[in-house]
Each structure stands twice: as structure tokens, then as C-alpha cells.
Amino acid sequence: MNGGKVRKLKADDPAARALASEKARRALAPFLNGARGLSEAARLAGFSRQALRYWVRKFEALGLLRRVQDRPPRWRATAAAFLIPFAADPVSAGMYDWLERRQAREHQAMLRAAARRLEELGLDHLLLYARGSEPITSPANAAGQTGSESGLLDGFAGVVELSDADAVELRRELAELWRRYAGRRSRGRRLRVYAYLVEEPAAGSR
């Protein structure tokens, strides 16, 4: 967001309920940073002119959009940003569903990358075996030879218990590591990077 007025919407405001839809937010987005004609806004939002015309009329009726020029017609949002309560979404459970939808595309991209890597390595089978009574599966080729999964998806996940000082240091080190590599534009391997630090409730507090 590049500064400008922020308009806070109430949960029972029809405008807030309309903007609970991801499609509506996408339709409004081109108008948030400047005045746009219908064709330009439709192209930026990925809509047909006819589809965006519907949203423009709806947004005008809701007070989210105003016409700032008649010939040729151009519209601009009535604020540079809108603050929408999660409670305005009548379909979802609010924040949890928003987070789930937001991460879904990233997870799908990760799975597609993993599938491509499996195909490249010729690992088109799943080898099922047991470690004790625990079933184990590993990607394998048609001869039953397993591949090194470290080249498929490098990652780790789990819960660590740290002091406040160590938790702060872990966040600092991860942020520094990201800054060190994010600015590099060397040709070669393209890596999708994930890093989430989510504070868990203390044991026995649930």
C-alpha cells in the first residue's frame, strides 16, 4: 500500500460483505491506486469488459467506487485501502479459512514442483515397506530402487522449545538468511522457499 486513506468497514456493511469475496477484491484492485477506464482495469484484473462492468456498477452502488471522469469514463476507489473484518464473510469461519485459501496456491505450487522432480528422476512408483509396525513409503523407480528425497524437497518441520532470547535469535537468523539470498539473481536453479514460525500453545494449556 502506497499511503492514502484507509476506510474501515463494519462487519454488517454490505460493502464489507461484498469484499469478503476474493473475486470482488480482484475486481476492485486496479482502481485502488489510480483512476482506470473499463478496458484497462479489466485487463489488469483478468476479467472480460462485461464481467468488470457488473462489478463497477455494484461497487458504485456500495460506495466503493466513484466515477472521476465522464469522457472517456474512468473510475477510482473511494479509498486507497479498505479494512474488512473477518466476520463480514458469511461463508467462511473467518481468519482460519482466509489463511487456508491464501496458502493453498503455495502448497499446490510446491506439490507440482515435487511431481516434476519425481518425473525427472524416473521415480514413478511408491515403495511400501515397514519399520517395525510403522508403514514407510519412498519414491522408487520401476526396479524398486529408491531415490534420494533430499533432491526432491529439502525441508524440515517440527516443534522446538526455546527461551525467549533463542526464539528472537532464530527469527533474526532466518530473516538474515532470507535477505542474503533473496537479492541474488544468478542463473541456475530456481528454488521455492518456505519458512513459517508459528507459536504453539504451551504444553497443557489447551
Side-chain angles (χ1 to χ4, degrees):
M1 184 183 143
N2 300 318
K5 176 186 173 185
V6 177
R7 179 179 163 193
K8 185 175 182 179
L9 302 174
K10 294 183 178 180
D12 59 353
D13 187 332
R17 290 198 295 272
L19 291 179
S21 156
E22 184 177 354
K23 184 178 287 187
R25 295 193 294 270
R26 189 157 54 90
L28 184 64
F31 302 102
L32 291 173
N33 292 320
R36 309 280 186 192
L38 196 62
S39 295
E40 180 187 15
R43 176 178 56 78
L44 292 171
F47 284 83
S48 67
R49 276 176 54 90
Q50 183 177 357
L52 192 65
R53 184 178 287 110
Y54 160 81
W55 285 108
V56 165
R57 289 172 179 165
K58 186 178 181 72
F59 292 151
E60 282 188 297
L62 291 170
L64 295 170
L65 208 61
R66 69 172 183 273
R67 187 180 294 214
V68 295
Q69 182 178 305
D70 288 328
R71 294 185 180 178
R74 294 169 71 83
W75 294 264
R76 184 167 188 157
T78 54
F82 294 91
L83 193 59
I84 310 158
F86 280 113
D89 189 342
V91 176
S92 77
M95 188 177 294
Y96 178 87
D97 288 310
W98 176 81
L99 288 168
E100 187 175 50
R101 290 194 300 269
R102 182 181 175 88
Q103 297 306 325
R105 285 191 295 270
E106 288 294 329
H107 292 161
Q108 288 166 6
M110 180 177 69
L111 293 174
R112 285 194 297 269
R116 283 195 302 271
R117 184 62 176 156
L118 280 171
E119 187 176 347
E120 289 169 3
L121 296 174
L123 304 175
D124 53 0
H125 290 68
L126 203 60
L127 180 67
L128 170 65
Y129 59 100
R131 185 175 294 144
S133 60
E134 184 72 17
I136 306 295
T137 55
S138 293
N141 62 18
Q145 297 170 318
T146 59
S148 171
E149 292 189 62
S150 63
L152 175 62
L153 285 175
D154 292 316
F156 47 85
V159 177
V160 293
E161 294 191 23
L162 303 173
S163 67
D164 288 345
D166 283 344
V168 169
E169 182 65 11
L170 176 59
R171 287 188 172 93
R172 188 196 66 75
E173 288 183 3
L174 286 174
E176 177 58 34
L177 192 63
W178 171 252
R179 283 193 296 269
R180 187 189 313 165
Y181 288 96
R184 299 185 184 182
R185 293 293 181 267
S186 304
R187 289 187 175 274
R189 293 200 174 196
R190 224 177 128 80
L191 301 176
R192 185 176 290 270
V193 180
Y194 298 84
Y196 299 100
L197 290 179
V198 179
E199 192 158 340
E200 290 271 315
S205 67
R206 296 182 182 182

